[in-house]
PDB file of all heavy atoms in Angstrom:
ATOM      1  N   ALA A   1     183.635 159.734 168.584  1.00  0.00           N
ATOM      2  CA  ALA A   1     182.434 158.916 168.605  1.00  0.00           C
ATOM      3  C   ALA A   1     181.301 159.616 169.355  1.00  0.00           C
ATOM      4  O   ALA A   1     180.122 159.422 169.031  1.00  0.00           O
ATOM      5  CB  ALA A   1     182.744 157.563 169.243  1.00  0.00           C
ATOM      6  N   GLY A   2     181.674 160.446 170.324  1.00  0.00           N
ATOM      7  CA  GLY A   2     180.663 161.164 171.081  1.00  0.00           C
ATOM      8  C   GLY A   2     180.193 162.452 170.439  1.00  0.00           C
ATOM      9  O   GLY A   2     179.301 163.123 170.958  1.00  0.00           O
ATOM     10  N   GLY A   3     180.818 162.809 169.299  1.00  0.00           N
ATOM     11  CA  GLY A   3     180.382 163.995 168.590  1.00  0.00           C
ATOM     12  C   GLY A   3     181.191 165.253 168.859  1.00  0.00           C
ATOM     13  O   GLY A   3     180.892 166.310 168.306  1.00  0.00           O
ATOM     14  N   SER A   4     182.232 165.152 169.690  1.00  0.00           N
ATOM     15  CA  SER A   4     183.076 166.335 169.931  1.00  0.00           C
ATOM     16  C   SER A   4     183.927 166.615 168.698  1.00  0.00           C
ATOM     17  O   SER A   4     184.438 165.694 168.058  1.00  0.00           O
ATOM     18  CB  SER A   4     183.978 166.079 171.131  1.00  0.00           C
ATOM     19  OG  SER A   4     183.213 165.893 172.305  1.00  0.00           O
ATOM     20  N   THR A   5     184.073 167.891 168.388  1.00  0.00           N
ATOM     21  CA  THR A   5     184.803 168.290 167.185  1.00  0.00           C
ATOM     22  C   THR A   5     185.997 169.166 167.519  1.00  0.00           C
ATOM     23  O   THR A   5     185.997 169.900 168.529  1.00  0.00           O
ATOM     24  CB  THR A   5     183.893 169.036 166.206  1.00  0.00           C
ATOM     25  OG1 THR A   5     183.328 170.183 166.868  1.00  0.00           O
ATOM     26  CG2 THR A   5     182.765 168.142 165.718  1.00  0.00           C
ATOM     27  N   THR A   6     187.000 169.082 166.671  1.00  0.00           N
ATOM     28  CA  THR A   6     188.201 169.899 166.779  1.00  0.00           C
ATOM     29  C   THR A   6     188.562 170.384 165.377  1.00  0.00           C
ATOM     30  O   THR A   6     188.433 169.626 164.419  1.00  0.00           O
ATOM     31  CB  THR A   6     189.382 169.086 167.354  1.00  0.00           C
ATOM     32  OG1 THR A   6     188.997 168.511 168.606  1.00  0.00           O
ATOM     33  CG2 THR A   6     190.600 169.969 167.548  1.00  0.00           C
ATOM     34  N   TYR A   7     188.997 171.641 165.285  1.00  0.00           N
ATOM     35  CA  TYR A   7     189.350 172.217 163.985  1.00  0.00           C
ATOM     36  C   TYR A   7     190.730 172.879 164.038  1.00  0.00           C
ATOM     37  O   TYR A   7     191.129 173.424 165.063  1.00  0.00           O
ATOM     38  CB  TYR A   7     188.321 173.270 163.572  1.00  0.00           C
ATOM     39  CG  TYR A   7     186.938 172.714 163.359  1.00  0.00           C
ATOM     40  CD1 TYR A   7     185.998 172.718 164.392  1.00  0.00           C
ATOM     41  CD2 TYR A   7     186.556 172.192 162.130  1.00  0.00           C
ATOM     42  CE1 TYR A   7     184.729 172.193 164.203  1.00  0.00           C
ATOM     43  CE2 TYR A   7     185.282 171.677 161.926  1.00  0.00           C
ATOM     44  CZ  TYR A   7     184.379 171.678 162.964  1.00  0.00           C
ATOM     45  OH  TYR A   7     183.123 171.171 162.769  1.00  0.00           O
ATOM     46  N   ALA A   8     191.397 172.846 162.904  1.00  0.00           N
ATOM     47  CA  ALA A   8     192.612 173.636 162.771  1.00  0.00           C
ATOM     48  C   ALA A   8     192.229 175.109 162.842  1.00  0.00           C
ATOM     49  O   ALA A   8     191.158 175.512 162.372  1.00  0.00           O
ATOM     50  CB  ALA A   8     193.299 173.332 161.445  1.00  0.00           C
ATOM     51  N   ASP A   9     193.114 175.925 163.407  1.00  0.00           N
ATOM     52  CA  ASP A   9     192.818 177.353 163.553  1.00  0.00           C
ATOM     53  C   ASP A   9     192.510 177.985 162.194  1.00  0.00           C
ATOM     54  O   ASP A   9     191.677 178.883 162.097  1.00  0.00           O
ATOM     55  CB  ASP A   9     193.992 178.068 164.198  1.00  0.00           C
ATOM     56  CG  ASP A   9     194.122 177.752 165.681  1.00  0.00           C
ATOM     57  OD1 ASP A   9     193.151 177.258 166.277  1.00  0.00           O
ATOM     58  OD2 ASP A   9     195.212 178.002 166.243  1.00  0.00           O
ATOM     59  N   SER A  10     193.179 177.507 161.152  1.00  0.00           N
ATOM     60  CA  SER A  10     193.037 178.123 159.834  1.00  0.00           C
ATOM     61  C   SER A  10     191.659 177.895 159.205  1.00  0.00           C
ATOM     62  O   SER A  10     191.310 178.597 158.255  1.00  0.00           O
ATOM     63  CB  SER A  10     194.122 177.586 158.903  1.00  0.00           C
ATOM     64  OG  SER A  10     194.014 176.178 158.771  1.00  0.00           O
ATOM     65  N   VAL A  11     190.878 176.949 159.744  1.00  0.00           N
ATOM     66  CA  VAL A  11     189.575 176.666 159.124  1.00  0.00           C
ATOM     67  C   VAL A  11     188.404 176.918 160.071  1.00  0.00           C
ATOM     68  O   VAL A  11     187.245 176.775 159.678  1.00  0.00           O
ATOM     69  CB  VAL A  11     189.509 175.204 158.600  1.00  0.00           C
ATOM     70  CG1 VAL A  11     190.674 174.918 157.679  1.00  0.00           C
ATOM     71  CG2 VAL A  11     189.451 174.211 159.750  1.00  0.00           C
ATOM     72  N   LYS A  12     188.698 177.293 161.305  1.00  0.00           N
ATOM     73  CA  LYS A  12     187.632 177.545 162.271  1.00  0.00           C
ATOM     74  C   LYS A  12     186.666 178.599 161.751  1.00  0.00           C
ATOM     75  O   LYS A  12     187.094 179.634 161.232  1.00  0.00           O
ATOM     76  CB  LYS A  12     188.218 178.003 163.610  1.00  0.00           C
ATOM     77  CG  LYS A  12     188.784 176.876 164.442  1.00  0.00           C
ATOM     78  CD  LYS A  12     189.338 177.392 165.762  1.00  0.00           C
ATOM     79  CE  LYS A  12     189.912 176.266 166.590  1.00  0.00           C
ATOM     80  NZ  LYS A  12     190.530 176.765 167.858  1.00  0.00           N
ATOM     81  N   GLY A  13     185.385 178.313 161.885  1.00  0.00           N
ATOM     82  CA  GLY A  13     184.356 179.232 161.439  1.00  0.00           C
ATOM     83  C   GLY A  13     183.999 179.105 159.964  1.00  0.00           C
ATOM     84  O   GLY A  13     183.020 179.695 159.511  1.00  0.00           O
ATOM     85  N   ARG A  14     184.808 178.320 159.226  1.00  0.00           N
ATOM     86  CA  ARG A  14     184.537 178.151 157.790  1.00  0.00           C
ATOM     87  C   ARG A  14     184.194 176.700 157.436  1.00  0.00           C
ATOM     88  O   ARG A  14     183.399 176.461 156.537  1.00  0.00           O
ATOM     89  CB  ARG A  14     185.762 178.579 156.972  1.00  0.00           C
ATOM     90  CG  ARG A  14     186.163 180.017 157.171  1.00  0.00           C
ATOM     91  CD  ARG A  14     187.274 180.437 156.186  1.00  0.00           C
ATOM     92  NE  ARG A  14     188.499 179.682 156.366  1.00  0.00           N
ATOM     93  CZ  ARG A  14     189.068 178.951 155.409  1.00  0.00           C
ATOM     94  NH1 ARG A  14     188.511 178.852 154.214  1.00  0.00           N
ATOM     95  NH2 ARG A  14     190.209 178.296 155.652  1.00  0.00           N
ATOM     96  N   PHE A  15     184.814 175.770 158.134  1.00  0.00           N
ATOM     97  CA  PHE A  15     184.609 174.344 157.859  1.00  0.00           C
ATOM     98  C   PHE A  15     183.790 173.713 158.979  1.00  0.00           C
ATOM     99  O   PHE A  15     183.871 174.138 160.137  1.00  0.00           O
ATOM    100  CB  PHE A  15     185.944 173.606 157.765  1.00  0.00           C
ATOM    101  CG  PHE A  15     186.772 173.930 156.560  1.00  0.00           C
ATOM    102  CD1 PHE A  15     186.493 175.014 155.741  1.00  0.00           C
ATOM    103  CD2 PHE A  15     187.876 173.145 156.244  1.00  0.00           C
ATOM    104  CE1 PHE A  15     187.261 175.307 154.630  1.00  0.00           C
ATOM    105  CE2 PHE A  15     188.663 173.419 155.138  1.00  0.00           C
ATOM    106  CZ  PHE A  15     188.357 174.514 154.335  1.00  0.00           C
ATOM    107  N   SER A  16     183.055 172.661 158.618  1.00  0.00           N
ATOM    108  CA  SER A  16     182.273 171.931 159.604  1.00  0.00           C
ATOM    109  C   SER A  16     182.315 170.437 159.291  1.00  0.00           C
ATOM    110  O   SER A  16     182.018 170.026 158.168  1.00  0.00           O
ATOM    111  CB  SER A  16     180.818 172.428 159.587  1.00  0.00           C
ATOM    112  OG  SER A  16     180.035 171.699 160.499  1.00  0.00           O
ATOM    113  N   ILE A  17     182.683 169.653 160.308  1.00  0.00           N
ATOM    114  CA  ILE A  17     182.734 168.197 160.144  1.00  0.00           C
ATOM    115  C   ILE A  17     181.509 167.574 160.784  1.00  0.00           C
ATOM    116  O   ILE A  17     181.038 168.043 161.839  1.00  0.00           O
ATOM    117  CB  ILE A  17     184.042 167.624 160.757  1.00  0.00           C
ATOM    118  CG1 ILE A  17     184.203 166.146 160.401  1.00  0.00           C
ATOM    119  CG2 ILE A  17     184.097 167.852 162.255  1.00  0.00           C
ATOM    120  CD1 ILE A  17     185.572 165.578 160.768  1.00  0.00           C
ATOM    121  N   SER A  18     180.984 166.541 160.136  1.00  0.00           N
ATOM    122  CA  SER A  18     179.829 165.833 160.686  1.00  0.00           C
ATOM    123  C   SER A  18     179.914 164.361 160.300  1.00  0.00           C
ATOM    124  O   SER A  18     180.648 164.011 159.373  1.00  0.00           O
ATOM    125  CB  SER A  18     178.521 166.447 160.173  1.00  0.00           C
ATOM    126  OG  SER A  18     178.441 166.353 158.762  1.00  0.00           O
ATOM    127  N   ARG A  19     179.183 163.527 161.006  1.00  0.00           N
ATOM    128  CA  ARG A  19     179.191 162.105 160.673  1.00  0.00           C
ATOM    129  C   ARG A  19     177.784 161.547 160.750  1.00  0.00           C
ATOM    130  O   ARG A  19     176.962 162.005 161.545  1.00  0.00           O
ATOM    131  CB  ARG A  19     180.138 161.336 161.589  1.00  0.00           C
ATOM    132  CG  ARG A  19     179.756 161.317 163.043  1.00  0.00           C
ATOM    133  CD  ARG A  19     180.839 160.689 163.909  1.00  0.00           C
ATOM    134  NE  ARG A  19     181.074 159.286 163.604  1.00  0.00           N
ATOM    135  CZ  ARG A  19     181.965 158.524 164.248  1.00  0.00           C
ATOM    136  NH1 ARG A  19     182.703 159.049 165.205  1.00  0.00           N
ATOM    137  NH2 ARG A  19     182.120 157.260 163.922  1.00  0.00           N
ATOM    138  N   ASN A  20     177.515 160.575 159.907  1.00  0.00           N
ATOM    139  CA  ASN A  20     176.256 159.865 159.914  1.00  0.00           C
ATOM    140  C   ASN A  20     176.571 158.424 160.260  1.00  0.00           C
ATOM    141  O   ASN A  20     177.037 157.655 159.416  1.00  0.00           O
ATOM    142  CB  ASN A  20     175.579 159.968 158.545  1.00  0.00           C
ATOM    143  CG  ASN A  20     174.199 159.365 158.525  1.00  0.00           C
ATOM    144  OD1 ASN A  20     173.938 158.353 159.180  1.00  0.00           O
ATOM    145  ND2 ASN A  20     173.288 159.974 157.794  1.00  0.00           N
ATOM    146  N   LYS A  21     176.360 158.061 161.515  1.00  0.00           N
ATOM    147  CA  LYS A  21     176.750 156.745 161.974  1.00  0.00           C
ATOM    148  C   LYS A  21     175.974 155.639 161.271  1.00  0.00           C
ATOM    149  O   LYS A  21     176.522 154.578 160.965  1.00  0.00           O
ATOM    150  CB  LYS A  21     176.573 156.646 163.492  1.00  0.00           C
ATOM    151  CG  LYS A  21     177.538 157.512 164.282  1.00  0.00           C
ATOM    152  CD  LYS A  21     177.378 157.276 165.770  1.00  0.00           C
ATOM    153  CE  LYS A  21     178.354 158.114 166.573  1.00  0.00           C
ATOM    154  NZ  LYS A  21     178.190 157.916 168.028  1.00  0.00           N
ATOM    155  N   SER A  22     174.710 155.884 160.993  1.00  0.00           N
ATOM    156  CA  SER A  22     173.894 154.835 160.372  1.00  0.00           C
ATOM    157  C   SER A  22     174.341 154.557 158.937  1.00  0.00           C
ATOM    158  O   SER A  22     174.188 153.445 158.437  1.00  0.00           O
ATOM    159  CB  SER A  22     172.418 155.217 160.414  1.00  0.00           C
ATOM    160  OG  SER A  22     172.174 156.379 159.659  1.00  0.00           O
ATOM    161  N   LYS A  23     174.911 155.585 158.284  1.00  0.00           N
ATOM    162  CA  LYS A  23     175.345 155.420 156.898  1.00  0.00           C
ATOM    163  C   LYS A  23     176.860 155.249 156.794  1.00  0.00           C
ATOM    164  O   LYS A  23     177.394 155.142 155.692  1.00  0.00           O
ATOM    165  CB  LYS A  23     174.903 156.618 156.063  1.00  0.00           C
ATOM    166  CG  LYS A  23     173.389 156.749 155.922  1.00  0.00           C
ATOM    167  CD  LYS A  23     173.014 157.919 155.017  1.00  0.00           C
ATOM    168  CE  LYS A  23     171.504 158.027 154.855  1.00  0.00           C
ATOM    169  NZ  LYS A  23     171.133 159.162 153.971  1.00  0.00           N
ATOM    170  N   ASN A  24     177.545 155.238 157.944  1.00  0.00           N
ATOM    171  CA  ASN A  24     179.003 155.085 157.933  1.00  0.00           C
ATOM    172  C   ASN A  24     179.685 156.107 157.033  1.00  0.00           C
ATOM    173  O   ASN A  24     180.537 155.764 156.208  1.00  0.00           O
ATOM    174  CB  ASN A  24     179.411 153.666 157.495  1.00  0.00           C
ATOM    175  CG  ASN A  24     179.165 152.646 158.573  1.00  0.00           C
ATOM    176  OD1 ASN A  24     179.154 152.962 159.754  1.00  0.00           O
ATOM    177  ND2 ASN A  24     178.951 151.408 158.178  1.00  0.00           N
ATOM    178  N   THR A  25     179.272 157.343 157.173  1.00  0.00           N
ATOM    179  CA  THR A  25     179.895 158.410 156.384  1.00  0.00           C
ATOM    180  C   THR A  25     180.318 159.569 157.284  1.00  0.00           C
ATOM    181  O   THR A  25     179.749 159.782 158.364  1.00  0.00           O
ATOM    182  CB  THR A  25     178.928 158.959 155.319  1.00  0.00           C
ATOM    183  OG1 THR A  25     177.719 159.398 155.965  1.00  0.00           O
ATOM    184  CG2 THR A  25     178.581 157.903 154.284  1.00  0.00           C
ATOM    185  N   VAL A  26     181.301 160.288 156.834  1.00  0.00           N
ATOM    186  CA  VAL A  26     181.732 161.529 157.490  1.00  0.00           C
ATOM    187  C   VAL A  26     181.857 162.589 156.403  1.00  0.00           C
ATOM    188  O   VAL A  26     182.263 162.298 155.264  1.00  0.00           O
ATOM    189  CB  VAL A  26     183.057 161.329 158.258  1.00  0.00           C
ATOM    190  CG1 VAL A  26     184.200 160.962 157.312  1.00  0.00           C
ATOM    191  CG2 VAL A  26     183.393 162.565 159.069  1.00  0.00           C
ATOM    192  N   HIS A  27     181.465 163.806 156.746  1.00  0.00           N
ATOM    193  CA  HIS A  27     181.431 164.877 155.768  1.00  0.00           C
ATOM    194  C   HIS A  27     182.254 166.067 156.254  1.00  0.00           C
ATOM    195  O   HIS A  27     182.421 166.264 157.460  1.00  0.00           O
ATOM    196  CB  HIS A  27     179.991 165.327 155.524  1.00  0.00           C
ATOM    197  CG  HIS A  27     179.079 164.219 155.110  1.00  0.00           C
ATOM    198  ND1 HIS A  27     179.080 163.708 153.840  1.00  0.00           N
ATOM    199  CD2 HIS A  27     178.166 163.512 155.808  1.00  0.00           C
ATOM    200  CE1 HIS A  27     178.174 162.733 153.769  1.00  0.00           C
ATOM    201  NE2 HIS A  27     177.608 162.594 154.960  1.00  0.00           N
ATOM    202  N   LEU A  28     182.727 166.850 155.299  1.00  0.00           N
ATOM    203  CA  LEU A  28     183.415 168.097 155.624  1.00  0.00           C
ATOM    204  C   LEU A  28     182.803 169.186 154.753  1.00  0.00           C
ATOM    205  O   LEU A  28     183.008 169.199 153.531  1.00  0.00           O
ATOM    206  CB  LEU A  28     184.914 167.994 155.375  1.00  0.00           C
ATOM    207  CG  LEU A  28     185.718 169.219 155.791  1.00  0.00           C
ATOM    208  CD1 LEU A  28     185.723 169.375 157.320  1.00  0.00           C
ATOM    209  CD2 LEU A  28     187.157 169.130 155.272  1.00  0.00           C
TER     210      LEU A  28
END
């Protein structure tokens, strides 16, 4: 909820997660 992110080692540097709280969506 605070925006901290964690990634699997296999996707670090290639994938990015984000969320839009106002639209209730999360993206990868």
